Amino acid sequence: MAGDPRPIGVFDSGMGGLTVLRALVARLPEEQFVYLGDTARLPYGTKSPDTVRAYALQATHLLLSEDVKMVVIACNTASAVALDALGEALAPVPVIGVIEPGARAGVAATRSKRIAVLATESTVKGAAYAQAIHRLMADAHVEQMACQVFVALAEEGWADTRATTAAVEDYLQPLFAQADAPDTLVLGCTHFPVLATAIQRHVGDAITLVDSAETTAAAVAETLAGLDLKASADSGTRAIRFFATDSPERFARIGAIFFGGAIDDEAVTLVDLKMA
Ligand code: DGL
């Protein structure tokens, strides 16, 4: 089989989706990637579903114009409110979101069937995680909590500062003050894995933290194989191209925290989605 050398498109409202890209890059060494962060319009997590859908459609059309063979919606908020619309609009290009894989990871981790989902306001309002978890585990007890300030802390690169510790305490104390506290926390937002150390310290080692990056990468690998879209092993040197809708310099600098490795700002192209 010659393999399909076209890149995989990855979309997020900003830099947080680089945590998902990182898992994809590790899992799929022969694939090429195009990543788009809509940094000019972040946060999506406080916006209405209609606005998020409109933004996500514009963004993913840019990825299509880069001839991607698949689109990964790394943004939890966009996955929660726009996945069906994107699937229809981008067909026949397959679209994969992060909610289902995140729910699967949470269900696999819990022993008490008590799961808390930390996410943005819009993701919580739409209850997509609770629905996905209940599809997999009907008797699960799911608590959802909007932790919007975590997004700003992560965007600032404040992975483990005093402000981060204080925000973690303020959000999570009520959840763990109650009887029957959850044993599993789903980090249902691209940005939250960056704060994992501060969160784990607060909740203690008995609580399992899960994020959807690994399970999403597994779902992408499965879909590529199922649709015969895998690149061949000799598809050449890895190339990752980045697009951002604001400040490529900041994208490269702060993005490195999420990606876990340096990003050359020369590899980041400024794009105006309204003009795309
Ligand atoms: N990417 C968003 C998410 O995963 C977080 C940042 C935002 O609010 O745009 O929900």
Side-chain angles (χ1 to χ4, degrees):
M1 190 190 79
D4 189 332
R6 291 177 299 162
I8 296 171
V10 182
F11 160 63
D12 181 43
S13 56
M15 293 171 268
L18 292 165
T19 55
V20 177
L21 181 65
R22 178 186 190 168
L24 287 166
V25 163
R27 176 126 194 167
L28 302 164
E30 62 289 343
E31 300 292 341
Q32 319 287 332
F33 293 92
V34 180
Y35 180 96
L36 167 62
D38 193 4
T39 42
R41 302 192 290 199
L42 176 129
Y44 280 17
T46 49
K47 300 198 166 70
S48 71
D50 283 349
T51 298
V52 171
R53 264 191 293 273
Y55 286 179
L57 281 166
Q58 284 176 340
T60 47
H61 275 116
L62 178 120
L63 291 175
L64 282 192
S65 72
E66 294 296 315
D67 195 26
V68 296
K69 61 183 172 187
M70 175 187 283
V71 171
V72 180
I73 309 299
C75 178
N76 289 256
T77 305
S79 297
V81 305
L83 194 62
D84 291 345
L86 292 169
E88 274 170 34
L90 274 53
V93 172
V95 180
I96 292 189
V98 286
I99 303 282
E100 195 70 35
R104 215 174 303 135
V107 165
T110 187
R111 285 166 306 284
S112 66
K113 299 190 177 180
R114 304 189 80 84
I115 302 172
V117 179
L118 312 183
T120 64
E121 280 173 36
S122 298
T123 302
V124 165
K125 261 190 217 148
Y129 264 108
Q131 287 160 11
I133 291 170
H134 282 134
R135 275 196 296 275
L136 298 163
M137 186 182 261
D139 56 345
H141 182 274
V142 184
E143 293 227 28
Q144 304 184 93
M145 179 166 277
C147 303
Q148 195 63 43
V149 168
F150 286 177
V151 174
L153 290 165
E155 284 282 322
E156 200 57 38
W158 285 11
D160 197 8
T161 63
R162 279 180 304 164
T164 307
T165 305
V168 167
E169 277 175 22
D170 285 351
Y171 278 127
L172 299 189
Q173 206 132 25
L175 199 57
F176 288 91
Q178 62 189 16
D180 296 329
D183 72 345
T184 301
L185 280 186
V186 176
L187 304 180
C189 173
T190 46
H191 288 56
F192 299 177
V194 168
L195 311 184
T197 303
I199 295 172
Q200 190 83 67
R201 193 172 51 240
H202 179 72
V203 300
D205 289 340
I207 308 297
T208 308
L209 260 50
V210 299
D211 77 70
S212 48
E214 298 297 333
T215 35
T216 300
V220 169
E222 213 175 279
T223 307
L224 285 175
L227 298 177
D228 214 6
L229 290 174
K230 277 165 70 168
S232 58
D234 59 354
S235 56
T237 322
R238 150 104 71 209
I240 307 179
R241 287 176 298 134
F242 300 93
F243 291 92
T245 53
D246 195 18
S247 184
E249 179 280 322
R250 188 169 201 278
F251 181 95
R253 182 165 43 86
I254 305 284
I257 299 169
F258 293 90
F259 191 46
I263 295 174
D264 179 3
D265 52 3
E266 303 275 298
V268 188
T269 304
L270 183 64
V271 65
D272 184 345
L273 291 178
K274 295 184 288 301
M275 310 295 281

